[in-house]
Structures are given as C-alpha cells and as structure tokens.
Amino acid sequence: MGAAGAETKPVRVAILGASGYTGAELVRLLLGHTGVEITVLTGNTQAGQEFSAVYPQFHYAKDLPALTRHEDHDWKDVDCVFCCLPHATTQEIISQLPEHLKIVDLSADFRLKDIETYAEWYGGEHKAPALQAEAVYGLTELARDDVRGARLVANPGCYPTAAQLPLIALLKAGLILKDDIIIDAKSGTTGAGRAPKQGTLFCEVSDGINAYGVASHRHAPEIEQGLGEACGSKDVVVNFTPHLMPMSRGILETIYVKLADGSTVEEAKAALEKAYAGERFVTVLPGAAVPHTRHVRGSNHVFMNIVADRLPGRAVILVSMDNLVKGASGQAIQNMNVMFDLPETQGVDMAPMFP
Amino acid sequence: MGAAGAETKPVRVAILGASGYTGAELVRLLLGHTGVEITVLTGNTQAGQEFSAVYPQFHYAKDLPALTRHEDHDWKDVDCVFCCLPHATTQEIISQLPEHLKIVDLSADFRLKDIETYAEWYGGEHKAPALQAEAVYGLTELARDDVRGARLVANPGCYPTAAQLPLIALLKAGLILKDDIIIDAKSGTTGAGRAPKQGTLFCEVSDGINAYGVASHRHAPEIEQGLGEACGSKDVVVNFTPHLMPMSRGILETIYVKLADGSTVEEAKAALEKAYAGERFVTVLPGAAVPHTRHVRGSNHVFMNIVADRLPGRAVILVSMDNLVKGASGQAIQNMNVMFDLPETQGVDMAPMFP
Amino acid sequence: MGAAGAETKPVRVAILGASGYTGAELVRLLLGHTGVEITVLTGNTQAGQEFSAVYPQFHYAKDLPALTRHEDHDWKDVDCVFCCLPHATTQEIISQLPEHLKIVDLSADFRLKDIETYAEWYGGEHKAPALQAEAVYGLTELARDDVRGARLVANPGCYPTAAQLPLIALLKAGLILKDDIIIDAKSGTTGAGRAPKQGTLFCEVSDGINAYGVASHRHAPEIEQGLGEACGSKDVVVNFTPHLMPMSRGILETIYVKLADGSTVEEAKAALEKAYAGERFVTVLPGAAVPHTRHVRGSNHVFMNIVADRLPGRAVILVSMDNLVKGASGQAIQNMNVMFDLPETQGVDMAPMFP
Amino acid sequence: MGAAGAETKPVRVAILGASGYTGAELVRLLLGHTGVEITVLTGNTQAGQEFSAVYPQFHYAKDLPALTRHEDHDWKDVDCVFCCLPHATTQEIISQLPEHLKIVDLSADFRLKDIETYAEWYGGEHKAPALQAEAVYGLTELARDDVRGARLVANPGCYPTAAQLPLIALLKAGLILKDDIIIDAKSGTTGAGRAPKQGTLFCEVSDGINAYGVASHRHAPEIEQGLGEACGSKDVVVNFTPHLMPMSRGILETIYVKLADGSTVEEAKAALEKAYAGERFVTVLPGAAVPHTRHVRGSNHVFMNIVADRLPGRAVILVSMDNLVKGASGQAIQNMNVMFDLPETQGVDMAPMFP
C-alpha cells in the first residue's frame, strides 16, 4: 500500500473476515502493493477493535482501518473485495454485495463447478448457484484470460494449487496416466486457521507428524475437477493424503505418477519447463534439486521438479509452495492484479524468506 | 541399569561408538534396565572424557565409565557389545572381537545378505563376508527364534523396521501386490546423526520439509530384501522416498499399496491384528485412528493402521515409530534380551512421552 | 505400574482431572512404577471414554481404567488421590473426599499459606481454610519430614520449584541478599495446559518468544512465601518475569542476585553443593557448565549452576527442570512415595531424554 | 532490485562473504530495493558456483551474479560494499579496497572505538587502526548525521542494537541508573551463522533453551561503549546474558533497570515515545502490550515497551527485533540509504511476517 502512480487511482480494497490468517496475510502483502489502498477490514466478532489489537505485528501501521462489521458498509468506497469468510457463510454474503465490486473469494464456496459435488462434500445445498455458475476458478497461470474478465474469482485451495500446476501440464501433454495418481501432501499448520482447537496447539503439533482426513479431505474433489478438465474426463479419482506438520507455512506435495506408455521422465520435465517458461512464480528446478518448503516461504513462488522412480515406468513429482501466499492470499492478489489490469506481479514479487 | 536379581549376574555391556545419538540412547535405556551393567563406553576421538562432557544429560549418573578407545580393551569384563560405529568401519572391528562376545550391530554392515548388493549400495567389497553369512537380521518380532541363537545380530535400519512390519505380514498373507509399493517416509533429524553438517543445522531444518535421496536411499535394498523373502521373490522393487522433518525423533511412513485381487481392507487389517496379537510393541490402532509420531516418542512402540484409498483396489498403510528406539537402540536391547534369555521387554517397556 | 513386590500391596491410585497434561504425565510415570496400581481416572467432560481416546499414546496400555466422573466413586478401592483439577474448583472437591485418602494436589489451591494472599491473587475467598492450614507444601527435598506425615500435600508450582531450590539454600546460608532478586523464567508451552487457546496455538508459539504476566504472575507470591520463610522475613518481594517458549517441556530460570557483603560466588556454589549432596534429583553442574532444558527433559532432575556476573558483587544462577516432571507430576509421585514409605525415587528415576 | 527511477542511476552493490546468512538476507532485501543493482557476490570457498546452488531460494532470480573471489575484482563497477566476512579477516580486506567505495561492515571489526578494548575482547591487535578511527558506528536512528557523511560504517551487532535503542534514550533522559543494568537476551539461531557446529544442529537446539557466554559475550563491551557515551561515563558495566533459542530469527531482550531517584515508569515510557516519535522502525507499544519476536519477523521494525517491576524503584524494558534485519542486513541497507541520499526506508519497509 503506498503512493499509487500519478496517472492511476489506487484500487480501494476491502477484506472481509480479516481476522483470520489469510486476512492478515493479505494485509501484509497489500501494505507493500503500490497500487491499492485498504479501506475496509471486517471482523464481526472483533468489530470496533484496532487491527493491531488482533494482529500486533501491525502496531506500526497507523493508517490501517479498524475492524468493522460487514453489515455496516455501503461499499461505495470499495472497488475490490477479498472474502476470507468461513466456507458456507460466504455464498450468501457475496450474493448480496453490489454489482460494481469485483470479488476474490478465498473460501471453498465457489470452487466446485458441479453443484452436486459441492453438496456432497460441503454438506448442503448451494445457496447462490447462479453466482457459482459465473465464478472463475482462479489458478492464475492456467486461467489468466478468464480471470481478466471475471467479476467473481474463486481462489483455489492451497493443496489443489500445488497439485494442479504440475499435474495439469503433464496430463495435457499426455505424458502421465490419469488413473494412478497418489498425492502425499505435507502442510504447515496455518492451513488449519486461527480458531483455537486442541489439535493445533503447539504441544500437539510440534516435533511430530500425522496424516489426517485420509481419503476424505475436501480438496480431493477440487483436484479431481481440475485434472478431469485437463484430460477431458469426468472420472478422474486421485489418492490425496494430507499430513499436519510442525511448520507454520508451507506445503510440500510428493506426487507418485505412472508415465504414459513410451514416455520418459526427461520428456515430462521438458513439458513442465515449457508450460511454465516465462512464468514469474513457477520454477522448475534444475537437475535433481528438490523443492524445500523453506525456500519459498513468505513468497508467491512455486518450486517443482520431477525425478525417476525406482519402480519402472513411474516418476515422482515434488512441489513446494507457501500455503498462505501462492496457496491463498498471494494468488488472490495475483488474481486481483489481473482483474484490474495491474502488472500481475505487483505486490507479490518479494523474495522468499530463508532462513 | 540397577541391582540385578539376586539369582542372576548382570549382563556386562560395552557400547562401541557411544558418542553418537544411538549410543546415548542405549545409555538412556540401559540405565533403566535392571539386568545389565554398562562397563565400557568407547569413543575414539573423545577418549579420556567423562561421558557427561559429551552428553550433559548424564551429569547426575556418576557411575558411568568414561570414554575410552576400543583398542584399549581386552573385553574380558564384557558379555555383550552394542556396536554404533559408522558404516564400513564396523565390519573390521567386529571381526576382531573375541568369540565369547555376543554382538548387536547398529550399523548397516551386516544387514544385506547378498554380498553384491552390499558392494553396490555401500561402495565397496565387504571385508568380513564370513561374519555376514552368520549374522541374523534382527527384526525381533519376525526373527525371534533366529535371534535367540545368534552371536551377531544385524539390527535393522529405522526406515526398514517401520516398512517391513506391516508389509511382510500383508505379503505373507497374500493380501497385497508386491509390484506396486510406494513408501513415503518422514523422519526426525536424529536419523542424520550428530556430526555437524550444514543440512542438519537448526536454521536449515526447522519450519519446513524436503525430500532427500529420492530413488537412491540405502534403505531401499534393505526393505526389498525383507519383502522379497516374505513373498519368495528376488525381484521386489519399491518406491522409497524419505523426507527430512523438523522433529528430533520419529518416523512416519505412509505406504500406498494395491490389494490383491478380491482382497479387502478389512481382511488386511485383520491380518495385521492377527500377525501382531500378543506383541507388546506393535499396536494396530482401532477404527480410523491414525498413528502420530508423537504418540510413540521415546518408546519402543510401533503404531499402525490401514485404511481404504479413494483409488479403487488400493489401501493406505500408516506406521509410526521412534527412530532412535524401535528404529535403533530400543530394538537393539530387545534383541540383546532375547540373546541373553532375559524378558524381551526388560528395559524397553517405558510409556511414550507425549507431549 | 507393574507387579508389586510379593510382600507389599500396591498403592491404589486415583487421578482426578486426568485429561490434562499433568494427568497424562502421571499416567506415563505411574505405568513404570512397580509399587502402584492405577484404579481410577476421572475426567468429567470426557467420562465414558477410554483414556486412549483422549491420549492415544496409551493405545497399547489395555489395562488402564476408562475415564469416569469423580462423583461416581466411593473411593474404597483407592489409597492415594492425585488431584489435577483447575485452581479454585479443587478445594471443594478435596474437602469432600473421605479421610482414609492421602492426597497430592497439583493445583494452586493449597500452596499459599496466608489466606489473604490467596484471596488477593486467586480472586476469591478460600473455601476450605481448615484444610489449607493442614496442607504441607511439598518441595520434597526441603520438606521431606513434613511430607512424610502429611495427609494433604500441596504440590509446588513449576516456576516456584525451580526458583526456590537454589534461592532457599543460598538465603539460608546468608550468602545472597533478599531484596534484589530477579527471576527471568522461560517455560515450555505445556505449562499453559491443553485447553484450546489462541495464544498457545502452534502458529502463535513456534519460532518466537515473548514475556507474559510481567509483574503479575501468580507464582510470584508462592516464590516469595518460600524465600520469606527461608530468611525469616515477611517482606520478600522478587521480580518474576516468565516467557513463553516454543518448546513443549522445560523451564529455565536465569536468576540475578546480589551477593551478601563479603561473600563470593565460590562460597555460594559450595553452599549449593552442600545443600544438595546426596540428593538424587538435584545436580550442581561442574565448572562453568550451563543447564539446558533439553538435558533434563522427561526426567525428575534439576540441573543448576551459579556463575559470576560482570557487575561487581552480583551472580547469575541458572536452573533447568522439566515443568511436567519435577515441576508437577514427577514431584507429585516423589511426594507420594514419601507419604507411603516407598523408596523416594521409585517410578521417577528415569534418565532424561536427549535429544 | 529493480528499475531505478529514470533520473537516478542505481547504486551498484557488492556483497563480500555473501554465502553467510547475513549475505543471503542482504540479497533478499536488495532484490526488493528499486534503487540498487547487485553486481558482485563473493564467497571465496564457493567461487564459481551460482548463488542459487548455495541458497536455493534464489533459483527463480536468474539475474544474480555467480559467486566470485573478492581478489578477482577491480571494483570499478561498484559503488557500495557490504562486508559480511568473519571478524578479524575483515579489517585487512577493507583497508585494501579503493577509496571510491562506500562500505558498510557487518563484522565486529570496527565497532569498538577503543583499540585496547578491541584487542582484549577479540584476541589481537587491530590491523587497521586508522580506518577504525574513521569508522562511524551505525545505529542509524541515533547516528544518522554521522552516517550520512561516512565512508565506512560499522554496522552494530544484533544484541547491542536492541539493547542500546531503549537504554541510550533513557540514560540520556536521566531516568535510569547506569550501574545496575541487567540484560537477559534470547536469540534465534541464525545469530550463530551457517558454518556447521554441533551446538547449532537441529537436534541440539530444538525444543529447549540454554544460556551461553554468560559474563563473557563480546557484545557486552559494545553495549557498554554506547551506554557510556550516552551518560558521559567510561565506567558503565552491564550484565549481559544471552540465551540460544529454537527460533531461526529474532531477538528478545528483557532488561531490568533501576529508575533514577524520583523517576517513574510513566516518565520513562514518555521519554521513549518522544525519542522515537516519527521513527518508522521503532515502535513503543501501547499500554501493557509486550513485544513478541514473531511480530517483527522478517522486518526492520523494533518493538519495545517498559513496565513497572514488583521490586520498588525498578522497571522492566522489553525489546524485540529480527536479528538478521534490524540486527544486521536491514540496518546495513538503512545505513546505505542514508550514505547515498536515498529514502532511508527504501527496500526495508516490508511488513513483518506473522505467522
């Protein structure tokens, strides 16, 4: 957030549900974005408080608006809304926002295009099906043109972002099989949110690891939707096994795939390099270098590589990403930039923070 | 270590290479074992020092012998040797020890039965092939009878222990296929040892994760050897992908398998329960409970479960274990107990430490 | 917990409020205590569940009783009660327990002898003042004789245990001044309990540190009470500044003191060594060795040292301890052992777990 | 690093010793600085390698120069040198650099103005005493005018930066006594550097804390020098007790001071607020808010507060800071900005990264 260029007016931004981690991360990133101005921060249970009372790292940022209730705004001073509200509550609130607003929704409400799949996985009928039909799934690198014209962007889930970037490229190139994809994912604990739960207490998470949601995590159908579109099939099913890690940020996915008949790992790597040549935020690592979550921390970068398996005809894809940046708030800003014709990297081109 | 029963003399124990983490862990556990006496601790580069100068947690244990050089002993006051020396140096030292000693070797030197496989993976000809032929691979639950009569036990590697316990039981029962086994392993950093390396510095390990040794880790052939024996095949090849984790202790393995034609996950779970019924240190968790590394920390326990995959015909096995205990020093003592006709659980039956 | 000696009946133990961390730690330690039997575990909000459903590390311990409500017991099959209930609720429950029970209370309810100090710091009148008058403050090494005859022992707080052990010895020896004691304490997060709170989430605690409760922590009056008794003064006031650390267990206190006129650091160190000579659980480190919390983790040991300050006439005391063991459940068992004429170290003499 | 304004040429920067953590942090920050260009990165033991081979987080930054030997440069394409070489080696190398270069030295070589104090604490005669006499101690907020005209700035140590900011302001205001200052400091492990050492391995640092260098740390005389100047005394001696923490970045200092006769904590707080009013990087927290290291992580911000002690006449100062940013590379860039008449906050005004 800073002095915009003389010739353009800043995009005026509201963050709904700013008291969660993705809200705070949006604030962190937008404070360094020279083309926007944060005008509204809502947090209904903490309305009336300074934002620094909720996130003390912003004690120095005297210009931030205090938290307010979203019902208390007429949105005339806002151009863009980032919606960080919980799943299911989001759809109703968004459907009542005025038409002039462009919206990036970080919840899962508009990600699944099939209304029945949504109902099955999220436990109820969708309350804004017309909006859902209109929403663009904002995996920016793969949907840039659609995002540009969108009013409502469904920002992808963190796990699906990391999984789809390599897998869609390889499926489109016909280099891997769609029927035997195993995604072993390891996530930082911010992914579980800031609401106090026993399972995310320091003493329950530190110095250990465990799987959770095996064969039942809601990001599985989101991944399958993207892969299905990539290979023109409605029947893609994947294994998706997430693990909770003692790290605050980061996702590593180790993806086990079968190569298509006659394909090689070298061809697959070349396909990834070609698909993401020129992309600022996707780097295919050289040689046998493996992606570390630490090496993308705090940034919008995705690091990936593919290597041969010991099992003949198989390969291992490795992808790392910061779940709060490219997996949430960073990609959301990337999408906003595209929607408002700003340079796509503006405000999200910071270097990773290591160590 | 304490007053042995009136009727039996304590087993007099030497630890060679006591200055590494597995050596220190043996000392920790043996101090609570009422049937042994630690008479020798060697550490050639730190010979002459009190053990508490190297491991200050033992400042209170005034009776521990100081570190000495292994060349300086005649071994007359020793019954059992735990050998914690580096791979490759071990075989020559052990081959020169007197015949009256029983030996548990925690290095990899005697684990691989095929001398050519050893040479291929460990970079050189084996220097004590006769001893290697005699050595018993000490996965205690599965080799108890052989261990009982052994003079030299090759203590299994940490990753192979966790992988083989469920997989051998399932292969023997004919419930999974041998040709499509994927082992995604996550290990604590003690597995990398105490020698200073950039890659295991706090700032390089904390708050993140990365794979390493993809398709090239030395524990792969050890796992394949055990699985091959279980299903009577020389051609078992597995995917084995280890990851380095910000935790001191613990291994979690998430193993992706294909069920044999007509087999079910329920049958597989029943087979695991049957195989380990009555085993103190192997627990098949009830229902959908997932093993956490935290829940076995500091103990000799192995927790496992098997659940259905979303991919039809596939299942996911989850196994957790403390790499320094069941994966090294604890299993070594378990083997010693069997070799000396002591109760198998003596000295290693402590509860896990959580949190 | 195991086969008691043939000649003695095991002490039958109940743990009230077993679902907290100190309850689980009592279970961990008592499972290794050969002179007791756990007959009752209460947890009113989780009554009816297996203990392993609340603490999955005990899945292997099939003999543990399930959680019950404390109202549902007549206590006839119990000899000793460990009370791990929250502050303030404890006093009423304990006052209703039958007379034949010996009780170790791990709450703060009976620690402060002055009823007005209690009311001031704990926000209300004491509801069992007669019991409070009878309770013995169980800093075992310094109160062994009183503990032996006690029916109700108030188990000391974690911070006060670490602070009082060195300070009382030095004040009694007249080697430090009572008017200028500064205690900078660093604690593991288990000290904050298992109830979900935003402030103890992994992402709020890891990779950082902060002070809390500056000049207002309830352990200050408890420390002052002990120091006041040691030097025969009612007016001891200390600085006590606790910090929350990204570690599960452990307390380190760095204590800044003024030496009495003419006294030296060497005399102070000699006084500590003399005070704790022969004590199994208190070790004064040699030379300039500094206590690490890691080196006492999981054990009942206290490590301490005292070194000269750069400020003339001042010294720095360093003390480390596991807050869940010597700072809570371990000392509670030590007290139980004394109360029931068992060997004082039984069940709590395990080696520290490092790394 | 980016397109500089049309009207000004970018400052061309060299980083000597770029392979350490402070070097990598300079690169991270300078990549976001629009007024500079990185033209030289030296690292003599790794010369010839891409910087991304040493710090893989920069795999995406294709424009960074490879590592070279500092002897191989004639410095004609360089305006500013950041020197991150080890203590003692620095002074000779800097004394041979051409006159046109402006230099910010991050080592300790030029921090101590008294040549005998240097020799005493750093173990040898200074080899560039003339340069030392010329060097400006760059605690930017307090030395801005001197820094502006300097050719060589000695960038302050991390601990001294955090200690001096509040203490100098309070000593100058006459509100605290100079003779009774106790600094209990807690530091992240990056402060110990990237060279492999047993003491900074993950397994030796995680989940614990210990003091080190008690009464003998080299930052003590540096702090005393600054405080002595502030109060016009050569005899200031402080207690300085650093602790090693399981966090990568961050310093928290808990400073115990005596108020001057008749002074109050409120006056002291007002003095701090006045001293740092208008300073972008120093924030005095409101009310009783305590500084967390997490809340300044990755940023150049310093958070501080002062609160009343329970000991009458005493107060507790709390200060947090990122040791790699304001404690090293961030302040170095802040100094460079001042030396080159760039906006002081350019390139170092990013928001803290929490969580």
Side-chain angles (χ1 to χ4, degrees), chain A:
Chain A
M1 193 163 77
E7 70 288 354
T8 52
K9 280 201 284 190
V11 176
R12 296 163 305 170
V13 163
I15 302 172
L16 272 57
S19 59
Y21 286 143
T22 54
E25 186 69 356
L26 280 166
V27 173
R28 175 176 85 92
L29 297 171
L30 292 172
L31 284 170
H33 191 304
T34 52
V36 307
E37 186 184 351
I38 299 174
T39 54
V40 174
L41 296 174
T42 82
N44 282 25
T45 62
Q46 290 160 309
Q49 294 189 42
E50 291 297 321
F51 196 57
S52 59
V54 178
Y55 282 107
Q57 71 265 36
F58 297 115
H59 267 305
Y60 75 94
K62 312 289 188 195
D63 295 341
L64 283 176
L67 285 165
T68 45
R69 295 169 48 86
H70 60 79
E71 293 87 344
D72 296 344
H73 290 277
D74 63 6
W75 310 108
K76 288 188 182 155
D77 58 345
V78 173
D79 304 305
C80 179
V81 165
F82 291 101
C83 191
C84 304
L85 295 166
H87 305 316
T89 68
T90 301
Q91 46 200 256
E92 288 192 284
I93 290 168
I94 287 184
S95 64
Q96 291 158 18
L97 291 175
E99 277 295 314
H100 79 275
L101 295 174
K102 295 192 180 182
I103 302 160
V104 182
D105 179 26
L106 287 85
S107 85
D109 276 21
F110 297 100
R111 291 180 192 154
L112 294 179
K113 294 175 189 175
D114 185 81
I115 218 109
E116 287 168 30
T117 308
Y118 175 85
E120 177 193 343
W121 284 85
Y122 286 89
E125 211 182 336
H126 202 285
K127 290 166 190 151
L131 263 181
Q132 196 182 35
E134 172 199 332
V136 169
Y137 186 77
L139 192 51
T140 328
E141 281 77 7
L142 303 180
R144 199 169 272 131
D145 290 341
D146 291 339
V147 168
R148 187 164 291 118
R151 182 179 164 254
L152 169 58
V153 166
N155 211 55
C158 50
Y159 289 125
T161 296
Q164 291 176 90
L165 283 169
L167 288 173
I168 288 179
L170 294 173
L171 285 169
K172 282 187 175 169
L175 294 167
I176 60 170
L177 301 187
K178 71 172 175 52
D179 297 325
D180 204 342
I181 296 173
I182 294 169
I183 303 168
D184 188 292
K186 298 91 176 168
S187 172
T189 306
T190 44
R194 204 186 199 193
K197 280 170 280 189
Q198 189 187 84
T200 50
L201 292 176
F202 179 84
C203 299
E204 309 279 325
V205 173
S206 80
D207 205 58
I209 185 170
N210 61 281
Y212 70 97
V214 183
S216 63
H217 194 286
R218 287 166 167 180
H219 282 179
E222 185 180 339
I223 295 169
E224 291 164 355
Q225 167 181 281
L227 304 191
E229 289 176 6
C231 62
S233 162
K234 286 225 147 194
D235 304 324
V236 174
V237 177
V238 300
N239 172 289
F240 174 63
T241 307
H243 298 76
L244 185 66
M245 288 268 313
M247 62 184 178
S248 284
R249 293 161 174 259
I251 280 181
L252 180 74
E253 296 186 4
T254 312
I255 307 178
Y256 302 93
V257 294
K258 266 202 179 135
L259 295 166
D261 252 13
S263 301
T264 66
V265 171
E266 291 70 28
E267 289 170 326
K269 180 150 180 173
L272 292 176
E273 288 169 339
K274 188 176 164 201
Y276 296 109
E279 288 292 349
R280 177 63 172 173
F281 297 127
V282 181
T283 300
V284 182
L285 297 184
V290 291
H292 293 220
T293 57
R294 300 163 200 94
H295 296 156
V296 292
R297 183 169 39 199
S299 84
N300 205 46
H301 290 283
V302 178
F303 281 8
M304 63 174 69
N305 210 340
I306 182 167
V307 295
D309 196 333
R310 296 198 76 213
L311 288 170
R314 283 192 155 281
V316 183
I317 301 165
L318 297 150
V319 199
S320 71
M321 193 189 74
D322 186 316
N323 60 306
L324 283 184
V325 191
K326 182 63 181 173
S329 306
Q331 184 155 253
I333 294 173
Q334 194 181 352
N335 282 325
M336 177 202 75
N337 286 338
V338 174
M339 293 162 90
F340 284 87
D341 272 325
L342 298 169
E344 187 176 318
T345 62
Q346 197 173 355
V348 281
D349 199 14
M350 58 284 169
M353 194 175 97
F354 171 81

Side-chain angles (χ1 to χ4, degrees), chain C residues 184 186 204-205 207-210 224 237 239 243 245 247-248 254 256 293-294 297 309-311, chain D residues 184 186 204-205 207-210 224 237 239 243 245 247-248 254 256 293-294 297 309-311 354:
Chain C
D184 189 291
K186 297 92 175 168
E204 308 279 326
V205 172
D207 205 59
I209 185 170
N210 61 282
E224 291 165 354
V237 176
N239 172 290
H243 298 75
M245 289 268 310
M247 62 184 177
S248 285
T254 311
Y256 302 92
T293 57
R294 299 162 201 95
R297 183 168 39 196
D309 196 334
R310 297 198 75 211
L311 289 169
Chain D
D184 189 291
K186 297 91 176 168
E204 309 279 325
V205 172
D207 205 60
I209 185 170
N210 60 281
E224 292 164 356
V237 177
N239 172 290
H243 298 75
M245 289 269 311
M247 62 183 178
S248 284
T254 312
Y256 302 94
T293 56
R294 300 163 200 93
R297 182 168 41 197
D309 196 333
R310 298 199 74 212
L311 289 169
F354 170 80

Side-chain angles (χ1 to χ4, degrees), chain C residues 74-89:
Chain C
D74 63 7
W75 310 108
K76 288 187 182 155
D77 58 344
V78 173
D79 303 306
C80 179
V81 165
F82 291 101
C83 191
C84 304
L85 295 166
H87 305 316
T89 69

Side-chain angles (χ1 to χ4, degrees), chain A residues 184 186 204-205 207-210 224 237 239 243 245 247-248 254 256 293-294 297 309-311, chain B residues 184 186 204-205 207-210 224 237 239 243 245 247-248 254 256 293-294 297 309-311 354:
Chain A
D184 188 292
K186 298 91 176 168
E204 309 279 325
V205 173
D207 205 58
I209 185 170
N210 61 281
E224 291 164 355
V237 177
N239 172 289
H243 298 76
M245 288 268 313
M247 62 184 178
S248 284
T254 312
Y256 302 93
T293 57
R294 300 163 200 94
R297 183 169 39 199
D309 196 333
R310 296 198 76 213
L311 288 170
Chain B
D184 189 291
K186 299 91 176 168
E204 308 279 326
V205 172
D207 205 59
I209 185 170
N210 61 282
E224 291 164 356
V237 176
N239 172 289
H243 298 75
M245 289 266 313
M247 62 183 179
S248 284
T254 311
Y256 302 93
T293 57
R294 299 162 200 94
R297 182 167 40 198
D309 196 333
R310 297 198 76 213
L311 288 170
F354 169 80

Side-chain angles (χ1 to χ4, degrees), chain C residues 149-160:
Chain C
R151 183 182 162 255
L152 170 58
V153 166
N155 211 54
C158 51
Y159 289 125

